[in-house]
Amino acid sequence: MVTPMELLRSNLSRVRIPEPTNRIYKQECCISFDTPKSEGGLYVDMSSFLAFGKDCVGSNYQKTGNPVYLHIKQTIKQVSEDRPLKKPTLLAIGVDGGFDNHEPEYEETYNIVILPDFVSLPFPSVELPEKVRLAVDTVVRAEAAEKKEQLASWTADKKQVSAYATNLIQIDTGVVVPPSGWKCCKCDKTENLWLNLTDGMIFCGRRNWDGTGGNNHAIEHYKETNHPLAVKLGTITADLEGADVFSYPEDESVEDPLLAQHLAFFGIDFSSLKKTEMTTAERELDQNTNYDWNRIQESGQESEPLFGPGYTGLVNLGNSCYLAATMQVVFSTSSFCSRYYKSQSLKEAFETAPADPTLDLNMQLTKLGHGMLSGKYSVPAQEKDGSFDSATSTTSTKQEGIPPRMFKSVIAASHPEFSSMRQQDALEFFLHFLDQVERANAGSPQLDPSKSFKFGIEERLQCPSGKVTYNKRVDYTISLNIPLHEATNKEQLEAFYKLKSERSLEGKEVSNDEIVRPRVPLEACLEIFSAPEEVHDFHSSALKAKTTAIKTTGLTSFPDYLVLHMRKFVMEEGWVPKKLDVYIDVPDVIDISHMRSKGLQPGEELLPEEVAGSETVESSPSADDNIVSRLVAMGFNSLHCKKAAINTSNAGVEEAMNWLLSHMDDPDIDDPISESVPSPVDQSQVDTLVSFGFQEDIAIKALKASGGNIEKATDWIFSNPNASAPSDMDATSSGAECSADGGLPDGGGKYKLLGLVSHIGTSTHCGHYVAHVNKDGKWVIFNDDKVGVSHNPPKDMGYLYFFERLSS
């Protein structure tokens, strides 16, 4: 009879002592969401340092033959309810120095376990071989790979000490700043005021995207004087760390360690000042806490919590709500449910995964699918005393949920933005996600679930000669403009605007309850997509000249799941970017049969092929005089206008205006225009946009128009429906079938609303995303790890709408 100690000694060769470069997983199973808190605890492979739950560790033993594991089990501690709360010193949650998230505390126990018979030895023990003791001690002391990611996700970017603070020159102009009653030196602004720390002058801040804020006098003063640092008045208190200091040359909020000294130079006693203004970060948070936020999250309403298969919440990893909301809807489709849950077990996915399953998209999607759809982790949250909330409670929707860390790490590996902890655009993530899924299933296209979203688009262009050309592409979404002039509540809107004007004259604002928003039918948005539109500067191979063509757009196939994206960011009067505050009336069932393209019709004649090399190529940049003159008429500098036109490839006044507004503060904005051809765009950025599903020539054009910024380039494409039209390319006969749209799903044009992703905030890159899904005959709200019955789903406030095709 072999003793447990003898068995362990016989397997010492399979035990490794971790090196500093090894990633050690000890908080979550790599193929399920089991943790040390789970009933079976967690098993750390002492050779690979991967972690496995009780139900999965056997699969790892069969695959690798590694027999020795460290078993970690956590049980809840009894903690006094009146324990003192620690004051946070770090803008973080659930980490040392961060905010107390009131989670229960646990105590850990360890054992050495040898498979396949789960022979157990206690740890610590002096009887264990030295190699085992050293290896286990290293694992126990090491910071878990999951913990490192968690810290990065919750910890906000710390402000850096300004390079200009230590040697800041201050000029004695006799200025003494009073403790209150401040006003801009150049206008009547009394809010959003910034004190320049060099000369003591007070100026208003920048003008916001919506026209509010200041008049840009502080930034103008910096351009005139190069005085680098300013502090926002109203944010200075005895706690100087909370003051909002901005560095213009560094173009970010910074820390000034000598702020007390710099303020005293102008007679400011910071110890007596009280806070009267929000910092920049606080104001952004405040802008997101509004009527829309409450409506979309259904705040203030009793919500029955839901538990069980398909009702699992996703823990927010720090600005990951865009991922959570999108995946809740995606895994409510039969295609993804079948591929990564019903048709593939965790064991099957693990057996085909590489040595490190944490890096395999197929494994992590299967893990996510089983985690969300099995119901295993959809249980009430555990309380401090070890009890659970009642699943029948109507006052709490809190559940344990699952943290999609490993999935996020894999899906973001090839994308620099999604790898960061910044908020992202849910549409951009959705397109990137489907692209990665398609690539992962390239060897088995018949299994690819992303295909259920894919459809063909055909554009028909007719020039004055009467001849036509057809361009085809494939896509995953339809981006829709919102025609405000088609609002169905025009009388109520007129009355509201009149009330708002009257209140403004009285110095008052309308309350949230009084706000009236335009209501636009979804049908009107779909009609605009299909309506004929003019394409200017279209080069006709029949006329041998640039002309105006008429473009119509239709679908060559209807996908299993139709995704509609609402373009809510527009340019309003005066070329000011604005987010539309609008409701879209979306019916539960739509019919897009009329949007099917007809292809080349009898009697139509295709435009002739253009002779190769017939085009002339400009050797130097040249600005469109019409674009420049229109921008100059708005009051902009002529040189700046020419640069804007050139850098946007003369795409139009709106594109040049966007570029101009984004580059006004460029240090070389006043430099002469180079006579050489502009340098080509970064090919890696082009490849990134192509991975989103855009054509390469459109990606290049968008990057030129946005100064090489990928986020702005994506917005530019969505904001320019003519971008895909060959406005400055030859139109040739392209009536042949596009090979890319072969094998796409197709069927009838009737769809029912499956779900929607709603956005709260002033930009797609800040704020919050929430999902609502129609499941089992009822609407459900998924707000990160909160899952409950939706009594009033905001179907008129969606950013992305997901429709499922009705069977004939």
Side-chain angles (χ1 to χ4, degrees), residues 69 161 164 224 348 423 491 514 547 557 696 749 780 785 796:
Y69 296 83
V161 174
Y164 298 88
E224 295 169 3
E348 290 169 334
Q423 183 62 279
E491 291 184 5
E514 296 174 304
T547 182
S557 62
E696 184 168 356
V780 180
D785 57 354
D796 50 5

Side-chain angles (χ1 to χ4, degrees), residues 449-469:
S450 71
K451 191 165 61 175
S452 63
F453 290 98
K454 189 181 288 189
F455 56 90
I457 291 181
E458 183 175 71
E459 294 174 344
R460 176 186 184 274
L461 293 108
Q462 180 174 343
C463 81
S465 69
K467 297 179 181 180
V468 298
T469 183

Side-chain angles (χ1 to χ4, degrees), residues 339-340 361-362 365 435-444:
R339 173 70 177 89
Y340 295 111
L361 180 59
N362 179 65
L365 271 173
D435 175 71
Q436 294 301 302
V437 170
E438 182 178 20
R439 291 169 185 258
N441 287 277
S444 306

Side-chain angles (χ1 to χ4, degrees), residues 119-273:
V119 176
S120 180
L121 295 95
F123 180 88
S125 170
V126 294
E127 297 180 3
L128 291 170
E130 183 181 1
K131 182 181 181 181
V132 174
R133 292 202 308 268
L134 184 57
V136 174
D137 278 337
T138 307
V139 169
V140 171
R141 289 198 311 269
E143 187 173 47
E146 307 97 325
K147 185 69 173 178
K148 291 179 181 178
E149 295 175 13
Q150 186 180 22
L151 280 167
S153 68
W154 275 119
T155 306
D157 292 336
K158 181 175 173 57
K159 290 193 289 188
Q160 298 298 312
V161 174
S162 172
Y164 298 88
T166 305
N167 299 313
L168 182 71
I169 297 174
Q170 292 188 282
I171 303 171
D172 187 0
T173 58
V175 171
V176 176
V177 178
S180 60
W182 308 301
K183 178 175 164 294
C184 177
C185 293
K186 286 190 176 180
C187 69
D188 295 328
K189 289 284 184 182
T190 57
E191 295 181 344
N192 190 21
L193 299 178
W194 294 78
L195 169 71
N196 191 285
L197 291 174
T198 295
D199 56 20
M201 302 294 283
I202 297 173
F203 296 102
C204 59
R206 305 188 199 216
R207 183 179 291 111
N208 295 328
W209 64 272
D210 59 357
T212 62
N215 291 318
N216 295 323
H217 288 145
I219 182 69
E220 290 174 4
H221 182 65
Y222 160 69
K223 290 179 179 179
E224 295 169 3
T225 64
N226 288 325
H227 297 164
L229 301 180
V231 61
K232 188 174 184 180
L233 295 173
T235 68
I236 306 168
T237 66
D239 180 13
L240 279 182
E241 289 187 4
D244 204 351
V245 181
F246 191 84
S247 170
Y248 293 106
E250 292 164 302
D251 195 28
E252 62 183 352
S253 293
V254 296
E255 183 179 330
D256 177 3
L258 302 178
L259 183 58
Q261 175 184 320
H262 293 154
L263 292 173
F265 187 85
F266 300 111
I268 298 177
D269 178 12
F270 63 88
S271 64
S272 63
L273 295 180

